[in-house]
Amino acid sequence: MKKVENKCISILNSAVQNDCEGGQIKGRHYPLYAAFLSPFVKEGFLSYYKPVLIDYSTPSYALEFGLAYLDDKPTFRKIVSTKDVTWTISWEELRKRNAVQATNWTPKRSQVAKKLSESVGKEVLLLKTQKGWMFEREALRNHSGGLVMYRLFL
């Protein structure tokens, strides 16, 4: 089902880059699109999504969505797939990552650690968990980890 998610990500990225207020995701998999977009609405990256009938003769549907805005800018800049380099993140690692994010703590170890600490807070991880798609904050609240499939840059 990676094709479904990649199609959604591609359309969301083009809506942000083209400065659109929203768009439509067409195709017969719109219930799967809805399951994928649900965490985006829950976390405030999208304002809504809803199915719309686009062709009355052969009932075909699309999923219409609206981008959420903050200070006249979309709430995210782009979404990047981790491609074949997905990694598992546990609840403990999420907890540590969010603790660092909250305090803006900068470790003074190596350049890699410095780069990692600078990136924390400017990206949000989208996880595929046993309970479905979740952003890292929701996974933290639900005490679950999962596969990091996408990174959303703010």
Side-chain angles (χ1 to χ4, degrees):
M1 280 300 145
K2 188 90 167 159
K3 272 187 176 178
V4 170
E5 291 102 19
N6 285 340
K7 183 176 182 178
C8 287
I9 295 303
S10 173
I11 292 171
L12 287 172
N13 279 333
S14 67
V16 169
Q17 289 169 357
N18 296 328
D19 205 23
C20 300
E21 291 186 9
Q24 286 185 347
I25 304 171
K26 298 175 184 170
R28 66 176 190 257
H29 299 294
Y30 80 90
L32 297 174
Y33 301 148
F36 184 72
L37 293 181
S38 179
F40 285 86
V41 173
K42 201 178 285 187
E43 290 289 328
F45 297 116
L46 293 178
S47 57
Y48 71 93
Y49 70 90
K50 63 181 179 182
V52 290
L53 184 64
I54 56 173
D55 187 7
Y56 292 102
S57 60
T58 62
S60 60
Y61 291 88
L63 202 66
E64 184 178 283
F65 66 90
L67 295 174
Y69 282 82
L70 185 65
D71 297 331
D72 296 331
K73 291 183 180 179
T75 51
F76 64 92
R77 287 185 297 129
K78 68 179 176 179
I79 305 168
V80 177
S81 171
T82 56
K83 300 192 194 272
D84 297 329
V85 193
T86 58
W87 69 91
T88 305
I89 189 165
S90 68
W91 179 77
E92 289 83 16
E93 292 168 323
L94 280 174
R95 191 170 53 86
K96 288 176 189 173
R97 177 182 161 87
N98 281 282
V100 169
Q101 190 173 351
T103 60
N104 288 330
W105 174 71
T106 318
K108 296 180 180 174
R109 281 175 274 172
S110 66
Q111 287 297 93
V112 175
K114 185 176 180 184
K115 291 236 185 270
L116 282 172
S117 69
E118 288 171 359
S119 70
V120 171
K122 296 178 184 167
E123 72 175 358
V124 179
L125 303 178
L126 180 58
L127 310 173
K128 189 171 192 173
T129 68
Q130 291 178 342
K131 298 176 183 176
W133 290 98
M134 292 183 198
F135 280 102
E136 59 183 296
R137 276 190 277 170
E138 186 180 355
L140 191 61
R141 283 191 298 267
N142 288 324
H143 292 271
S144 62
L147 283 174
V148 178
M149 302 295 279
Y150 295 96
R151 295 165 53 205
L152 188 120
F153 291 93
L154 307 177

